[in-house]
Amino acid sequence: MSSHYEAPIRRPLIIGDKNYHDISVDVAAPVEGKANKLWWIAFSIALTAFLWGIGCIVYTIGTGIGVWGLNKTVGWAWDITNFVWWVGIGHAGTLISAVLLLFRQKWRMGINRSAEAMTIFSVIQAGLFPVIHMGRVWNAHFVLPLPNQFGTLWTNFNSPLLWDVFAISTYLSVSLVFWWTGLLPDFAMLRDRAIRPFQKKIYGLLSFGWTGRAKDWQRFEEVSLVLAGLATPLVLSVHTIVSFDFATSVIPGWHTTIFPPYFVAGAVFSGFAMVNTLLIIMRKVSNLEAYITKQHIELMNIVIMITGSIVGCAYITELFIAWYSGVEYEQYAFLNRATGPYWWAYLFMMSCNVFSPQFMWFKRLRTSITFSFIISIVVNIGMWFERFVIIVTSLHRDYLPSSWTMFSPTFVDIGIFIGTIGFFFVLFLLYARTFPVIAQAEVKSILKASGEKYKKLRDGNHE
Amino acid sequence: MYTFSSKLKTLSLALMIIGLLGVGYGFLSAPASVDEVKVLLQESHNTHGEVATPAGHAAAESGVAVQAEDAHAEHIFHLLKNKPWSALYVALFFFFMISLGTLAFYAIQHVSQAGWSIVLFRVMEAITAYLPVGGVLLFVFFVLSATHMNHLFVWMDPEVVANDALIQNKSGYLNVPFFLIRAAIYIIVWVLYRNYARKMTIAQDALTDLSNYRKLFKSSAAFLVFFLVTESMMSWDWIMSLDPHWYSTLFGWYVFSSLIVSAITTIALVSIYLKGKGYLEFVNNSHLHDLAKFMFGFSIFWAYLWFSQFMLIWYANIPEEVTYFVTRFNDYKVPFLGMVVLNFVFPLLILMNSDFKRVPWFIVTAGIIVLIGHYIDIFVMIMPATVGDQWFIGISEISSILLVLGIFIYVVFNAMTKAPLLAKGSPFIKESEHFHY
């Protein structure tokens, strides 16, 4: 794929004196070892949050949507905010594994496995909301175009909410297949290293009998490339379709054509922030600092900076066009965002999304692990508020002043959101203990070109 | 070193001369007065065999009819007067956008530390040599528009503004001095970065330390930030304001997609030409493959933005926005839908195959189609606002393309002779020379 020559100016992607075996050992260590106390504490907290979330969901379904803070004017609030937020977070995984593959970014290899896992787990969280926010969950299968006994009553394909069904389900399936394909050689490695028969059996099943012949590898690479080529338009179209939920409407503040690319940029922005949050912890607790280096963090910060600037540019565009349009409803929608009752949410969104990524222009800050960690959380708070602001401030005051109202969430709204965060971490923590969190097969493929030891050897010879 | 072949030089001069004559003809053949238009309209009515207004109308009524007819004739007169101007404008913008897009792509290559594209830097730099020339031509065009030589930007006409409350509201942004100042700022800063980058890479050829490379990295990043903002504003100013009642937030990025795909296509075409002449022995078919992939990818990206803008406006069907597409759909059906085939369906089908993307004549075929498609894209952005249903692709349009194409070829290939075709000072040059995919 790429040549073995690498410019000396490029920094190593694998730190230290590592060989192929070291990589296997380092990647397998968390899986082969035992969970420590810290893991159990984190897991218990996440599990508790998850169970609490389930309770809230059961309560909602059993009692009715009225237990949420929604009202007649604001029919979408935390439910869809959280949905869009989680879908957005999921996008970084596909971006890292697919788009960065297409752009031949070798640094993706240290992070793609966990990023994809994050995608899958967050899309699962996202997928809950379209279901549970229905008034009649038990009729949810009506959204599927299935032949039935109502004289083949059909779905209407004109609704972006139906497109969402197709988008999200396709996205989850393709991401899952993409992720699992990449896992085959790594599961095989765990299978071959396993000592206990139970582990051997399990990883034998998971690795689908991967033996790593030349023909297998050739097809493996082709499949990865094809899937990357398919996942890239998919990732753009999924969040685009999510943005259509708003942009196809006639609500001032929602109906705007920039939403499709701008939502995608925002998704990449928040997704990378989440990857940063997770990996900064993971590299530490799983001792993977040699593979997830400071440079990886820096590069992710740069992506955050770029997408943050694109999002900022879109904000300015929206503001300008709202003024330029001369439509007073549109102008009021933005005036209301800035100065209305939810001004604090707008301020949060602006300061977290537009200003905070600009710190990344300073090398000192973007190479600081602590700073990156803080910013990555700030960005995700900001992006949550972005969706909240778009959804709620556009709904609570629109065409007819007689329908103006306010929105405030109930403990059930909040509880379900906390529950999804808990569920996400339950899955992620389990993943971190049972899956190879670094794509060792891929990392091995760049060892000789980008490993620190080999780079030193080679560049030393040149001079 | 490249030597400008005399054949190509003659070709470019011939294009300029033919183009100039055609453009001149276009201006001369535009109707000189409203009366001339009335005669034209009468003739077309007669040839269509339409029944004239039945006689026997009351005098007052026919008076109204005559007035309406006068207004109609005057309207058509404006549109026909605009036609040669618009044709020139579309061509000027099209080639300027290619050059600007190349500059953006070039800056991206610097900041992303791409390892494959270094061998194409000099090609890109030569294409951006058109930027100052095209910038001056466009600016002169704007000054002429501002002095009412034409009627393209209706908001520049005080009489129109006086009767139009919507434009009055926008006059804080859409006014002549501010418009010209903005245009000057965009063009000057873009050109400044272009000249600086060119100077730096040439200086780097002779050096071994990387100070210039680092400076260039930083300035390219700064340029891209400036570009992100000004590209959107440029598209609002130069194109969207032609329809001053219409607005779309996506517009700037939509224009960007058209700009970048045309630019990459042009880089590919110029590279293939030079390689065919034996000047770029270090460019292999993997480099072409990468360019073709970008053509393919950005063609799809263009289609994505085109569809997003169109579909959202069609779906919501809000009257003040939808008129934009109604006129395009009614009066420009063939170019409007045809460009989707040229810019999306065709590249999608022929550039999908990996082997095809390494075959020069495939890339050239696809490239020519993509460029034609994006010319039509700009045409459909501009013409409905300026000439309405009076459009056709005739002498004015083709001559304008030939004229600007001639200038473009002359400037670009002349710049190519000014520096070696390999930017050998880049730290990634060896990666690029050995690039193999």
Side-chain angles (χ1 to χ4, degrees):
Chain A
M1 188 173 140
S2 51
S3 68
H4 282 292
Y5 173 79
E6 193 178 82
I9 192 175
R10 295 199 194 275
R11 282 171 290 164
L13 289 167
I14 299 164
I15 303 290
D17 182 15
K18 299 282 180 192
N19 58 30
Y20 289 134
H21 182 64
D22 295 334
I23 297 177
S24 301
V25 172
D26 290 344
V27 173
V31 182
E32 289 167 350
K34 274 206 157 34
N36 61 12
K37 212 199 248 161
L38 210 64
W39 186 89
W40 281 109
I41 293 170
F43 185 73
S44 315
I45 296 171
L47 191 67
T48 314
F50 173 37
L51 292 174
W52 171 250
I54 290 182
C56 290
I57 290 173
V58 169
Y59 176 55
T60 303
I61 294 170
T63 314
I65 289 291
V67 299
W68 291 0
L70 300 176
N71 52 52
K72 270 194 332 193
T73 301
V74 183
W76 274 357
W78 275 55
D79 46 353
I80 301 300
T81 301
N82 298 336
F83 163 67
V84 182
W85 188 71
W86 277 118
V87 181
I89 284 175
H91 275 52
T94 320
L95 203 95
I96 287 169
S97 54
V99 177
L100 296 187
L101 175 74
L102 296 184
F103 283 106
R104 299 191 291 262
Q105 297 297 306
K106 289 179 184 169
W107 60 278
R108 68 174 248 292
M109 291 173 180
I111 53 173
N112 60 356
R113 174 66 41 74
S114 297
E116 285 168 54
M118 186 203 70
T119 293
I120 287 157
F121 303 149
S122 55
V123 173
I124 290 172
Q125 308 314 319
L128 285 172
F129 288 99
V131 178
I132 61 169
H133 90 309
M134 289 182 181
R136 299 183 181 87
V137 184
W138 46 92
N139 285 338
H141 62 284
F142 277 26
V143 302
L144 302 174
L146 301 172
N148 53 52
Q149 292 168 324
F150 299 95
T152 25
L153 184 68
W154 216 240
T155 45
N156 184 339
F157 289 94
N158 291 342
S159 167
L161 299 182
L162 183 65
W163 308 339
D164 270 345
V165 175
F166 302 134
I168 302 292
S169 54
T170 312
Y171 186 47
L172 183 61
S173 332
V174 173
S175 302
L176 200 59
V177 171
F178 197 9
W179 186 51
W180 206 276
T181 317
L183 275 162
L184 294 178
D186 291 8
F187 278 145
M189 181 272 283
L190 289 177
R191 171 200 66 198
D192 297 343
R193 287 175 56 89
I195 304 158
R196 282 167 295 180
F198 179 69
Q199 263 80 350
K200 197 146 199 107
K201 183 90 193 150
I202 293 290
Y203 288 112
L205 281 172
L206 295 178
S207 60
F208 294 178
W210 175 268
T211 49
R213 294 172 307 167
K215 197 75 196 166
D216 297 347
W217 276 114
Q218 185 221 335
R219 289 184 175 135
F220 175 89
E221 296 231 326
E222 266 173 43
V223 164
S224 309
L225 207 55
V226 169
L227 281 178
L230 288 173
T232 304
L234 189 63
V235 79
L236 260 77
S237 68
V238 169
H239 220 66
T240 292
I241 286 170
V242 170
S243 83
F244 285 167
D245 294 349
F246 311 102
T248 53
S249 73
V250 292
I251 305 288
W254 280 11
H255 176 70
T256 176
T257 48
I258 207 170
F259 268 13
Y262 148 59
F263 265 51
V264 174
V268 177
F269 179 55
S270 69
F272 266 77
M274 188 60 120
V275 175
N276 240 352
T277 313
L278 296 173
L279 289 187
I280 286 172
I281 299 174
M282 182 181 262
R283 69 196 285 272
K284 192 92 192 154
V285 296
S286 300
N287 292 318
L288 296 169
E289 280 134 320
Y291 309 100
I292 303 168
T293 65
K294 212 173 239 191
Q295 192 191 171
H296 288 87
I297 311 270
E298 186 186 355
L299 288 165
M300 284 193 279
N301 282 333
I302 290 175
V303 176
I304 290 172
M305 176 180 85
I306 294 169
T307 47
S309 305
I310 293 174
V311 167
C313 185
Y315 288 161
I316 301 168
T317 304
E318 277 194 305
L319 285 171
F320 172 77
I321 298 288
W323 170 79
Y324 181 88
S325 71
V327 179
E328 57 181 345
Y329 298 106
E330 197 70 34
Q331 291 172 345
Y332 181 74
F334 284 90
L335 187 72
N336 180 44
R337 279 183 195 179
T339 62
Y342 291 107
W343 63 269
W344 50 273
Y346 186 71
L347 189 68
F348 241 99
M349 141 186 159
M350 276 292 184
S351 40
C352 293
N353 295 347
V354 181
F355 301 116
S356 71
Q358 303 306 325
F359 288 116
M360 296 301 182
W361 288 101
F362 303 99
K363 192 171 176 83
R364 259 185 72 125
L365 294 176
R366 72 168 178 263
T367 49
S368 151
I369 306 272
T370 324
F371 187 77
S372 310
F373 187 72
I374 296 167
I375 286 291
S376 70
I377 290 173
V378 167
V379 165
N380 266 319
I381 296 173
M383 284 309 288
W384 190 89
F385 273 103
E386 181 195 294
R387 278 67 182 249
F388 178 81
V389 164
I390 290 174
I391 294 171
V392 172
T393 63
S394 307
L395 285 177
H396 87 121
R397 290 185 174 178
D398 65 348
Y399 291 111
L400 288 177
S402 57
S403 334
W404 285 8
T405 180
M406 286 296 290
F407 167 81
S408 49
T410 64
F411 81 94
V412 193
D413 283 303
I414 300 167
I416 292 174
F417 180 47
I418 291 173
T420 55
I421 294 175
F423 191 12
F424 176 82
F425 279 104
V426 164
L427 292 171
F428 199 84
L429 284 164
L430 288 172
Y431 150 82
R433 299 232 25 90
T434 48
F435 279 53
V437 293
I438 284 186
Q440 52 90 26
E442 294 201 54
V443 168
K444 283 173 184 171
S445 74
I446 57 165
L447 177 67
K448 292 207 168 155
S450 305
E452 191 182 19
K453 184 176 79 173
Y454 291 92
K455 273 188 89 74
K456 267 191 192 146
L457 260 162
R458 200 175 42 228
D459 300 340
N461 288 345
H462 278 296
E463 276 146 38
Chain B
M1 264 327 226
Y2 172 72
T3 40
F4 199 166
S5 80
S6 60
K7 253 191 203 161
L8 193 63
K9 199 177 269 179
T10 321
L11 176 74
S12 67
L13 291 172
L15 286 172
M16 280 188 243
I17 292 165
I18 297 169
L20 204 59
L21 290 174
V23 170
Y25 172 80
F27 278 103
L28 290 176
S29 62
S33 67
V34 181
D35 292 329
E36 220 170 286
V37 175
K38 279 187 189 160
V39 175
L40 278 174
L41 284 176
Q42 197 54 47
E43 275 171 11
S44 78
H45 277 301
N46 292 345
T47 51
H48 285 300
E50 278 175 25
V51 188
T53 350
H57 270 298
E61 260 183 33
S62 72
V64 172
V66 167
Q67 245 176 28
E69 218 167 81
D70 280 351
H72 179 60
E74 198 178 328
H75 179 62
I76 301 281
F77 170 65
H78 275 304
L79 297 181
L80 288 176
K81 279 288 266 188
N82 273 343
K83 208 173 150 306
W85 285 100
S86 311
L88 193 59
Y89 185 45
V90 175
L92 282 173
F93 183 82
F94 180 66
F95 285 97
F96 184 78
M97 127 182 148
I98 288 178
S99 190
L100 181 62
T102 306
L103 189 65
F105 188 70
Y106 172 76
I108 292 170
Q109 300 305 307
H110 279 300
V111 295
S112 64
Q113 302 182 313
W116 66 280
S117 53
I118 317 296
V119 294
L120 299 169
F121 272 4
R122 287 290 141 79
V123 175
M124 298 184 209
E125 285 168 9
I127 295 173
T128 57
Y130 176 75
L131 203 69
V133 180
V136 169
L137 290 175
L138 265 179
F139 195 78
V140 169
F141 191 92
F142 294 139
V143 172
L144 293 179
S145 304
T147 49
H148 309 297
M149 296 289 290
N150 60 49
H151 207 250
L152 295 192
F153 297 89
V154 289
W155 56 266
M156 285 181 179
D157 184 347
E159 217 175 286
V160 172
V161 178
N163 296 313
D164 192 322
L166 277 174
I167 300 181
Q168 280 164 25
N169 286 334
K170 298 176 193 194
S171 59
Y173 187 77
L174 292 183
N175 60 69
V176 171
F178 193 24
F179 175 86
L180 290 179
I181 291 170
R182 281 198 307 268
I185 292 173
Y186 311 150
I187 294 171
I188 288 170
V189 178
W190 294 336
V191 170
L192 279 179
Y193 165 72
R194 188 268 156 193
N195 289 343
Y196 179 77
R198 168 80 164 176
K199 213 176 82 192
M200 282 294 160
T201 62
I202 290 177
Q204 187 63 44
D205 281 354
L207 294 176
T208 45
D209 82 297
L210 295 175
S211 59
N212 284 347
Y213 160 77
R214 297 221 162 78
K215 279 185 203 155
L216 194 49
F217 180 89
K218 284 185 180 159
S219 60
S220 302
F223 164 75
L224 283 173
V225 174
F226 183 79
F227 177 78
L228 175 70
V229 178
T230 50
E231 189 277 333
S232 287
M233 294 176 73
M234 172 273 278
S235 64
W236 304 334
D237 289 1
W238 297 357
I239 302 183
M240 201 166 85
S241 82
L242 291 165
D243 287 284
H245 287 181
W246 184 77
Y247 51 87
S248 165
T249 40
L250 184 59
F251 196 74
W253 296 359
Y254 170 61
V255 172
F256 169 75
S257 69
S258 197
L259 167 153
I260 196 84
V261 69
S262 318
I264 293 166
T265 305
T266 309
I267 296 171
L269 295 184
V270 174
S271 307
I272 289 172
Y273 170 79
L274 289 172
K275 192 168 165 52
K277 296 280 169 208
Y279 285 107
L280 299 175
E281 72 279 6
F282 34 81
V283 170
N284 59 39
N285 64 7
S286 291
H287 295 106
L288 298 181
H289 186 188
D290 266 25
L291 285 172
K293 274 188 278 188
F294 272 114
M295 285 163 64
F296 175 76
F298 278 116
S299 291
I300 297 171
F301 182 66
W302 173 86
Y304 161 62
L305 294 184
W306 175 84
F307 178 75
S308 296
Q309 180 166 277
F310 174 67
M311 192 279 281
L312 288 176
I313 289 174
W314 167 81
Y315 194 110
N317 202 19
I318 297 173
E320 56 247 44
E321 286 178 4
V322 84
T323 49
Y324 182 83
F325 287 115
V326 169
T327 47
R328 275 157 184 78
F329 213 79
N330 289 341
D331 299 335
Y332 290 75
K333 197 166 272 157
V334 174
F336 182 73
L337 296 174
M339 74 176 173
V340 183
V341 177
L342 297 179
N343 292 342
F344 174 58
V345 181
F346 205 83
L348 181 80
L349 294 178
I350 65 171
L351 291 178
M352 178 86 82
N353 188 311
S354 195
D355 297 331
F356 292 176
K357 279 184 285 224
R358 291 169 179 272
V359 182
W361 72 266
F362 253 103
I363 305 174
V364 172
T365 314
I368 290 170
I369 286 165
V370 165
L371 287 180
I372 292 173
H374 285 281
Y375 172 80
I376 295 175
D377 187 14
I378 305 299
F379 187 86
V380 176
M381 283 186 215
I382 290 175
M383 288 293 181
T386 57
V387 304
D389 57 358
Q390 298 298 311
W391 73 277
F392 55 89
I393 296 187
I395 292 175
S396 287
E397 286 75 12
I398 293 170
S399 311
S400 303
I401 298 173
L402 297 182
L403 171 65
V404 189
L405 177 67
I407 302 172
F408 184 81
I409 292 178
Y410 185 83
V411 173
V412 168
F413 286 91
N414 194 38
M416 206 86 78
T417 61
K418 299 279 155 64
L421 285 171
L422 187 64
K424 64 179 182 181
S426 165
F428 300 108
I429 187 69
K430 210 170 151 207
E431 259 185 43
S432 184
E433 282 177 319
H434 294 138
F435 173 65
H436 175 74
Y437 181 75

